[in-house]
Amino acid sequence: MDAGQNRREHMNIVIVGHVDHGKSTVIGRLLADTGALPQGKLEQIREMCRRNDKPFEYAFLLDALKDERSQGITIDTARCFFHTQKRQYIIIDAPGHIEFLKNMITGASRAAAALLVIDASEGVRENSRRHGYMLSMLGIRQICVMVNKMDLVDYDRAAYEGIVAEYGRFLKEIGITPEGFIPVSAREGDNIAVKSGNMPWYSGPTVLETLDEFRAPGSLDALPLRMPVQDVYKFTHGDARRIIAGTVETGALKAGDEVVFYPSGKRTHVNRIEPMRPDEAEGVASAGWAAGFTMTEQIYVRRGELCTRACDMPPKVARRVRVSLFWLGRTPMAPGKTYFLKTGAAKLECRLETVLSVMDAASLHRVRKEEIDRHEVAECVLAMSRLCAFDDTGDLAATNRFVIVDDYEISGGGIFAEALPEAPEELRSGGCAWRTGDVAPEERAALLGGRPRMLLISGASAEDVHRVAASLERLLLEAGQSAYYLGVAAGADAGTRAATLQALPERARLLMNAGVTLIAAAAGLTAEEEDALRMHVSSDRAETYWVGDGCPLDCPSYPARDAARAIMARCAGQPRG
Amino acid sequence: MEHLDQLEARSIHIIREAYSQFKNLCMLWSIGKDSTVLLCLARKAFYGHVPFPLVHIDTHYKIPEMIEYRDMLARKWHLDMVYGENARALAEKTTFPDGTATRLECCRLLKTEALTHTLDGTWPRYRMNHDTGLYERDRNTEPYTGVIVGVRADEEGSRSKERYFSPRDRNNDWDIGDQPPEFWGQYKTDFRPGTHIRVHPLLDWTELDVWEYIRREGVPVVSLYFNHGDGLRYRSLGCWPCTKPVESDASTLDEIVEELKTGKFANIAERSGREQDKEDGGGLEELRKGGYM
């Protein structure tokens, strides 16, 4: 065996299909016919079969787990390795049982191409269609359909062609053009690695030949830069660097580039792509690389922002979005409940505002309903608690996708279709229903001469914080800006303080909607408290300042006597649009 | 991107994700080649720093060179080094080498139990004091909620079912039948109080990938992996009573890589020198459900 002789190219392939249509046998056969089985493993399984008095089957190779063997179905995604002359393959076995769709998605999302297995004797089944649909939703465009167990239908051409016609129609409906259909018998080895003598009527390629025809994903370097900020590193031990870290999803970045962060809109220049090894002068920041850079002008950004280049097409920024999503949760996705949406490195609270339509992924039937049940695919409107940066084109796949977290679990995934304007019902809260006028925020900002901000003031001393907030209010009013100082009372006990901080965002939003800059003050803010307060405001409209020494937050700090003027100067120096 | 670069980038992304999402994070360091590669990936992810503790479970049956090597690197790289152990089993001599436990029972006591109680902080942890170079009882007894582990999917059957972020419940159980979905680079980083997450950045690596990376990056590994003239080397490191060297003339990294690519090991399972794997059909899976790495 020449394992790894040609290691230039690797490709992940997922294998999907209805339960018992023979996926595991296909994999076992692929491994055996390419000489990819480690000696120890085959003996181990043979020994196990002998002891349990079962005939050896290729599928047992993959059933390495006890509870799997007892149930007789593949319950999770297992990985196997084999190679052809062209490249090394990692084949991901995705289970066929309906309850395990989340495992199939886990496997398929790592793959560049898919093999879909249909039993020639059973024909197209529910999961044949559901899996095909999920592959399209997951963005996998290279699909080869294997019509398996041809030996059970006496290698009958008509049986094969009936399935090709039926499933080909379905794929066409969901916009997939398969690389091809292949009649195979995995058990007998027909058309897997070698052409079958049992089906002279089939002149197409074998499965291995088709795999080698799949194209590896091309370079994403030429696309607009999308680098979700995963973290900002500032280490001690004499290392002064402040490094913006993240994985480059698309595009490329180099020293000197001007970058813009979304949704905040903050800008700076790249000082250096930081090298990961001390013996390198500069690191790499192109598509696929985990990267990090230092900035020429220090700005405060945090995890969750999306870094792009100033010269690139900007992402969309919105709080309300139209999406299509698939639901995996045990309880339906329902309006009124709070979920988390994760995209890139951002995590935002979100609600299901409206379900536009729901589709059964197996039948493609669309219905109108209020909730989204498990394994359904829906078009819907989501409303997030704050602004989110994303892309609405499949070319920028990574930033076009999101997942939904419900009760600690990833329970759904979806694709951003469109940014939507703010809804008037935003003020609906606490059991009340309000009505507002028709002045858009931009219009109000233009009329008032600037959009309002939230200035969050904290510090170790409650007295200093109060003095700074009060003078800042005066300075802003004297400069002709609407400002209002609302802080946590100095003597408040812990419970009162927490309750006040919790009540602050709603008041802040009301004031800011009215065009007033809010000076929110509370001594001794923790990073979590700061996050909770800022979460409701777009990050380019919120700033945090620390009064005095020992700042525990990632924000500028000033001595008490200079703070109000320094903050005022910073406000004046920033665009007010 | 080259294959090793792709693997490296994904692993670093996962390590960074874990660091950003878990307050009490640690990395398990078995001193073997895989977890040492993991350690070097962390040093790249954080630009020369390792911003979380490295936890080693000391069975006291490790090959002595491994412990010397551990402490040497901990001092050199200024690592926040922590170890834990099953003091009672060692004191009561309920171990396989003492003849009072089977290999699997011994693994469960010295590794799984020691690990469980070291992670949840209920048994003493010992932390290196870099001023003295000695270990002291660690005052921090908070449970680790994120644990980075160097398992690879190609090692044996049960590991091929793992997720990058794999939840463990209060009893440390791994529910293989009901694992969270994991797609589009989004991981399970939300967890119920009392549970923790195992993080597996090396899941997609093969044994050959690991050796090629060690060669490319100059990752320091214990010399036990090399033949020193007696025609024997270790392919997988563990406790000396249960780990046997394999017959091999490979004495350099090039020779090890070559041996894996074309030589006799191409068809032999990596853990074939690990005796505990052979005791029972699903032994390792049972151990792993209980927390074994």
Side-chain angles (χ1 to χ4, degrees), chain A residues 442-488:
Chain A
E442 296 74 24
E443 198 182 351
R444 188 184 305 276
L447 290 169
L448 290 175
R451 280 181 77 168
R453 317 167 169 278
M454 179 166 81
L455 303 171
L456 201 50
I457 314 290
S458 189
S461 150
E463 266 321 297
D464 285 349
V465 169
H466 167 70
R467 264 197 299 274
V468 169
S471 10
L472 185 58
E473 182 184 32
R474 235 163 236 299
L475 288 170
L476 283 164
L477 287 167
E478 281 164 13
Q481 295 190 34
S482 275
Y484 188 70
Y485 159 37
L486 188 62
V488 178

Side-chain angles (χ1 to χ4, degrees), chain A residues 141-143 171-172 174-180:
Chain A
R141 291 284 173 267
Q142 306 188 86
I143 298 175
L171 289 178
K172 199 173 168 198
I174 61 172
I176 288 183
T177 313
E179 303 295 303

Side-chain angles (χ1 to χ4, degrees), chain A residues 38-353:
Chain A
Q39 268 170 17
K41 202 154 204 163
L42 194 53
E43 277 156 20
Q44 198 186 330
I45 303 300
R46 286 223 161 97
E47 174 64 17
M48 187 272 294
C49 289
R50 194 185 55 77
R51 255 191 277 163
N52 294 320
D53 207 19
K54 278 199 253 184
F56 170 78
E57 280 188 34
Y58 286 108
F60 291 150
L61 280 169
L62 309 169
D63 296 347
L65 295 174
K66 267 185 180 173
D67 45 349
E68 236 196 59
R69 286 196 294 261
S70 59
Q71 285 181 25
I73 47 174
T74 311
I75 57 166
D76 209 325
T77 299
R79 275 163 272 200
C80 297
F81 301 76
F82 74 96
H83 70 102
T84 63
Q85 289 301 317
K86 181 164 177 180
R87 55 166 88 102
Q88 166 106 30
Y89 290 98
I90 299 161
I91 193 144
I92 305 167
D93 182 17
H97 197 277
I98 183 165
E99 287 196 24
F100 304 132
L101 192 70
K102 58 185 187 176
N103 297 327
M104 177 255 162
I105 287 165
T106 301
S109 80
R110 293 171 187 168
L115 294 174
L116 194 143
V117 183
I118 298 176
D119 185 330
S121 60
E122 274 203 23
V124 178
R125 297 294 296 273
E126 183 182 336
N127 268 339
S128 317
R129 288 188 292 261
R130 193 190 302 280
H131 286 182
Y133 191 87
M134 288 315 299
L135 291 175
S136 85
M137 188 102 193
L138 289 164
I140 295 169
R141 291 284 173 267
Q142 306 188 86
I143 298 175
C144 168
V145 183
M146 304 170 67
V147 180
N148 189 28
K149 305 193 189 178
M150 286 301 291
D151 53 318
L152 296 186
V153 295
D154 297 328
Y155 300 104
D156 177 32
R157 183 175 188 168
Y160 165 74
E161 283 176 350
I163 288 170
V164 171
E166 182 186 354
Y167 201 67
R169 246 190 336 266
F170 171 80
L171 289 178
K172 199 173 168 198
E173 250 183 280
I174 61 172
I176 288 183
T177 313
E179 303 295 303
F181 286 83
I182 306 177
V184 304
S185 165
R187 198 168 63 187
E188 303 303 324
D190 295 293
N191 288 335
I192 303 283
V194 287
K195 266 223 165 57
S196 165
N198 295 319
M199 289 173 277
W201 46 266
Y202 175 78
S203 58
T206 63
V207 173
L208 277 186
E209 284 166 349
T210 307
L211 286 180
D212 280 349
E213 285 300 305
F214 284 147
R215 294 164 304 279
S219 167
L220 303 173
D221 288 3
L223 291 167
L225 178 78
R226 295 295 187 256
M227 174 176 158
V229 176
Q230 206 175 359
D231 224 328
V232 179
Y233 299 134
K234 172 77 187 70
F235 298 106
T236 46
H237 299 300
D239 187 342
R241 294 175 297 177
R242 201 159 165 276
I243 301 171
I244 308 285
T247 299
V248 180
E249 298 289 359
T250 54
L253 192 63
K254 61 181 190 313
D257 281 347
E258 184 179 16
V259 289
V260 190
F261 296 88
Y262 290 95
S264 74
K266 290 182 183 177
R267 287 165 183 262
T268 186
H269 289 83
V270 175
N271 174 53
R272 180 172 75 153
I273 308 297
E274 289 301 308
M276 287 184 167
R277 286 167 52 148
D279 56 346
E280 292 165 343
E282 190 158 31
V284 186
S286 32
W289 292 77
F293 63 87
T294 47
M295 300 173 283
T296 310
E297 308 87 35
Q298 297 303 315
I299 55 166
Y300 289 91
V301 287
R302 49 181 79 208
R303 176 181 165 92
E305 296 253 11
L306 181 59
C307 176
T308 70
R309 290 187 308 174
C311 59
D312 284 326
M313 176 184 80
K316 299 284 180 285
V317 174
R319 212 183 55 81
R320 291 177 72 238
V321 287
R322 184 170 63 82
V323 303
S324 49
L325 66 77
F326 53 88
W327 191 245
L328 306 168
R330 281 201 183 85
T331 51
M333 188 181 194
K337 203 175 158 191
T338 302
Y339 301 92
F340 284 100
L341 179 148
K342 285 166 81 175
T343 179
K347 181 179 175 188
L348 309 95
E349 250 180 50
C350 87
R351 284 182 304 112
L352 174 61
E353 196 177 284

Side-chain angles (χ1 to χ4, degrees), chain A residues 1-5 7-8 10 12 35-41 44 51 62-69 74-79 81 88 90 93 100 102-103 105-107 109-110 137-139 230-231 233 235-237 239 241 243-247 249 274-278 280 286-293 303 326 328 330 340 342-347 374 401-403 405 407-415 528, chain B residues 1-21 23 40-41 43-51 78 153-165 167 174-193 203-206 208-210 212 216-218 260-270 272 277-283 285-286 289:
Chain A
M1 185 175 111
D2 55 345
Q5 212 169 54
R7 293 174 51 81
R8 278 189 305 273
H10 286 67
N12 286 349
L37 295 176
Q39 268 170 17
K41 202 154 204 163
Q44 198 186 330
R51 255 191 277 163
L62 309 169
D63 296 347
L65 295 174
K66 267 185 180 173
D67 45 349
E68 236 196 59
R69 286 196 294 261
T74 311
I75 57 166
D76 209 325
T77 299
R79 275 163 272 200
F81 301 76
Q88 166 106 30
I90 299 161
D93 182 17
F100 304 132
K102 58 185 187 176
N103 297 327
I105 287 165
T106 301
S109 80
R110 293 171 187 168
M137 188 102 193
L138 289 164
Q230 206 175 359
D231 224 328
Y233 299 134
F235 298 106
T236 46
H237 299 300
D239 187 342
R241 294 175 297 177
I243 301 171
I244 308 285
T247 299
E249 298 289 359
E274 289 301 308
M276 287 184 167
R277 286 167 52 148
E280 292 165 343
S286 32
W289 292 77
F293 63 87
R303 176 181 165 92
F326 53 88
L328 306 168
R330 281 201 183 85
F340 284 100
K342 285 166 81 175
T343 179
K347 181 179 175 188
R374 193 175 200 193
R401 296 164 170 172
F402 62 88
V403 301
V405 176
D407 191 27
Y408 306 106
E409 302 291 342
I410 293 181
S411 300
I415 294 179
E528 289 78 47
Chain B
M1 270 177 109
E2 284 183 22
H3 178 60
L4 284 182
D5 291 330
Q6 279 177 359
L7 289 174
E8 180 191 65
R10 189 177 308 123
S11 301
I12 288 177
H13 180 86
I14 290 167
I15 294 169
R16 285 174 167 179
E17 200 65 8
Y19 175 58
S20 137
Q21 298 298 297
K23 242 185 185 169
C40 288
L41 286 166
R43 279 167 52 86
K44 288 188 96 167
F46 306 110
Y47 302 95
H49 307 271
V50 182
H78 212 83
D154 74 328
E155 282 175 275
E156 40 82 31
S158 70
R159 293 185 184 192
S160 72
K161 313 270 169 171
E162 279 283 12
R163 297 283 200 259
Y164 297 119
F165 284 67
W174 178 36
D175 187 349
I176 305 163
D178 189 20
Q179 298 196 69
E182 191 170 69
F183 53 98
W184 293 343
Q186 297 292 352
Y187 308 110
K188 180 173 170 63
T189 52
D190 301 87
F191 56 95
R192 251 170 251 286
L203 212 52
D204 295 337
W205 296 54
T206 63
L208 181 56
D209 293 329
V210 166
E212 290 191 323
R216 187 182 92 168
E217 297 289 313
L260 284 172
K261 272 187 175 177
T262 58
K264 55 186 180 176
F265 290 153
N267 288 324
I268 299 173
E270 177 183 1
S272 54
D277 292 17
K278 297 172 188 164
E279 278 198 348
D280 165 51
E285 181 214 336
E286 290 305 320
K289 276 187 175 172

Side-chain angles (χ1 to χ4, degrees), chain B residues 204-272:
Chain B
D204 295 337
W205 296 54
T206 63
E207 186 186 12
L208 181 56
D209 293 329
V210 166
W211 280 111
E212 290 191 323
Y213 191 78
I214 288 169
R215 179 171 68 174
R216 187 182 92 168
E217 297 289 313
V219 175
V221 288
V222 193
S223 70
L224 295 163
Y225 283 114
F226 302 99
N227 161 40
H228 295 284
D230 53 1
L232 293 172
R233 71 175 192 89
Y234 286 90
R235 193 172 168 206
S236 172
L237 288 181
C239 300
W240 58 261
C242 292
T243 313
K244 301 239 173 338
V246 291
E247 283 180 22
S248 161
D249 293 326
S251 57
T252 64
L253 287 170
D254 283 340
E255 285 168 15
I256 288 180
V257 168
E258 208 44 39
E259 187 178 67
L260 284 172
K261 272 187 175 177
T262 58
K264 55 186 180 176
F265 290 153
N267 288 324
I268 299 173
E270 177 183 1
R271 291 179 63 94
S272 54

